[in-house]
Amino acid sequence: MGTIIKGKAVADSITESVIADVKELKGAGTTPKLAIVRVGDDPSDLAYERGALKRMDKCGIDVEVFELRKDVSQKDFLESLKRINEDGGIHGILVFRPMPGHLDEEAIKYVISPEKDVDSFSPVNVAKVTEGDETGFPPATPTAVMEMLKFYGVDLKGKHAVVVGRSMVVGKPVSMLLLKENATVTICHSRTKDLPEMCRRADVLIAAVGRAKMIDGSYVKEGAVIIDVGINMDKDGNMCGDVDFESCKDKASMITPVPAGVGSVTTSVLAKHVVKACRLQTGM
Ligand code: NAP
């Protein structure tokens, strides 16, 4: 059986280094601060917010939650966002997405300050990730995938990485990050022909499909590293990934579980990004 690689050790390691950074910044007179902008009270937003608040607290990062009414107008939303952009005491901004349908995300993404955009909403950060410009902020989940691979010593140079999924939040950015680490990357999606065959070519297989247990053992090459980004519910109502863990675990050399895998790393990545934003803005 392959090694089960969990997220907690990775999150703890990142948190430890963020705590040290925050201590240094506080010593120099600045406390990093994150603004969370939430429209309405979607349960998954609230769950992530609770996790983020806990992590920021552990790291010593200040947080202010801007809770806007579910029916907030585009104009009022933009006014709030601009005020947060201009608030010198706030270094990072996380806007929960997807937003309610009456709000125009395509317009909003051009307004969030790229320097404070710690979860890659702004097109400036999307471009920076594509360019490999490290002053940008990739989204938290793809960054968590890369942190997992780094922590567990997976050398990506020259390896064939296959990413299943091409969304802007996971598939595309993680592909760019893998490419930056000199992997050879194949991106698959719903129109890919013979997906199992494509996946069997992977040294590193990243599943970001959003379909419970779709990637089974027949998609996996002996010895592959499997990173499961999926968060789904199985037919019994239990949380599961996009990977059928049971049928893949004996073929993989390393495999992430769900829960307790990639998802556990995202809030520590967010904290790391707030510190990075604070340093870039203050020059400290
Ligand atoms: P998404 O926007 O729905 O994108 C899913 C992608 O998978 C699309 O590119 C789609 O292809 C592809 N796909 C769907 N069915 C497929 C099939 N049968 N064969 C091949 N490709 C298929 O989802 P997402 O936001 O990227 O999220 C992916 C998963 O990650 C979800 O389970 C989500 O809950 C999870 N997630 C986890 C975290 C975390 O912190 N761990 C964060 C975000 C998301 P097309 O482009 O052709 O439609």
Side-chain angles (χ1 to χ4, degrees):
M1 179 168 147
T3 308
I4 300 171
I5 52 172
K6 294 195 175 183
K8 186 176 181 305
V10 186
D12 287 350
S13 156
I14 297 170
T15 301
E16 209 175 292
S17 92
V18 171
I19 289 171
D21 277 342
V22 172
K23 208 169 156 193
E24 186 193 321
L25 286 163
K26 282 185 174 171
T30 299
T31 301
K33 184 172 175 182
L34 170 68
I36 295 180
V37 182
R38 171 166 50 77
V39 179
D41 53 4
D42 179 88
S44 60
D45 290 351
L46 290 171
Y48 190 75
E49 185 178 300
R50 279 193 297 276
L53 288 172
K54 217 167 128 188
R55 181 74 59 185
M56 299 308 142
D57 183 49
K58 196 164 183 182
C59 291
I61 294 172
D62 284 349
V63 186
E64 188 168 348
V65 178
F66 294 84
E67 185 178 355
L68 303 174
R69 283 193 342 264
K70 201 175 161 184
D71 60 353
V72 65
S73 68
Q74 177 85 359
K75 182 171 166 285
D76 288 350
F77 181 90
L78 287 176
E79 272 171 17
S80 300
L81 186 57
K82 284 177 190 163
R83 272 199 301 276
I84 300 167
N85 277 345
E86 283 156 17
D87 184 335
I90 291 174
H91 307 99
I93 306 174
L94 170 70
V95 178
F96 280 114
R97 290 171 285 155
M99 307 178 83
H102 69 281
L103 293 174
D104 181 4
E105 277 188 35
E106 290 304 301
I108 293 167
K109 72 184 185 187
Y110 287 100
V111 175
I112 186 169
S113 161
E115 294 76 27
K116 296 187 178 185
D117 171 36
V118 287
D119 198 31
S120 211
F121 189 5
S122 161
V124 172
N125 282 312
V126 176
K128 284 187 173 183
V129 173
T130 307
E131 288 171 352
D133 178 341
E134 291 182 0
T135 64
F137 298 96
T141 302
T143 311
V145 169
M146 301 309 290
E147 294 281 359
M148 293 282 285
L149 292 167
K150 190 167 101 188
F151 184 88
Y152 288 104
V154 178
D155 180 13
L156 291 162
K157 193 169 148 199
K159 297 280 168 56
H160 186 195
V162 174
V163 178
V164 190
R166 57 175 166 179
S167 74
M168 289 303 291
V169 277
V170 191
K172 279 184 192 164
V174 84
S175 301
M176 291 300 123
L177 297 174
L178 290 160
L179 194 59
K180 188 165 192 299
E181 295 304 318
N182 297 312
T184 301
V185 183
T186 300
I187 307 173
C188 299
H189 47 78
S190 64
R191 317 288 161 81
T192 298
K193 287 198 179 123
D194 201 351
L195 184 65
E197 164 57 18
M198 281 291 180
C199 292
R200 280 195 297 274
R201 295 186 201 166
D203 301 311
V204 178
L205 180 58
I206 315 282
V209 200
R211 294 187 184 266
K213 301 184 185 179
M214 189 188 97
I215 309 285
D216 66 22
S218 71
Y219 289 61
V220 177
K221 178 169 83 176
E222 202 71 44
V225 173
I226 305 178
I227 307 287
D228 188 355
V229 181
I231 300 177
N232 313 290
M233 290 297 164
D234 68 13
K235 54 183 177 356
D236 303 318
N238 297 316
M239 191 193 282
C240 70
D242 294 338
V243 172
D244 179 28
F245 186 85
E246 284 309 310
S247 70
C248 293
K249 68 181 193 314
D250 292 329
K251 278 188 157 177
S253 58
M254 292 184 193
I255 183 166
T256 61
V258 176
V262 175
S264 343
V265 184
T266 50
T267 57
S268 52
V269 166
L270 189 65
K272 188 173 171 176
H273 283 182
V274 177
V275 165
K276 178 176 160 184
C278 180
R279 285 196 186 281
L280 287 169
Q281 284 157 49
T282 58
M284 282 198 259

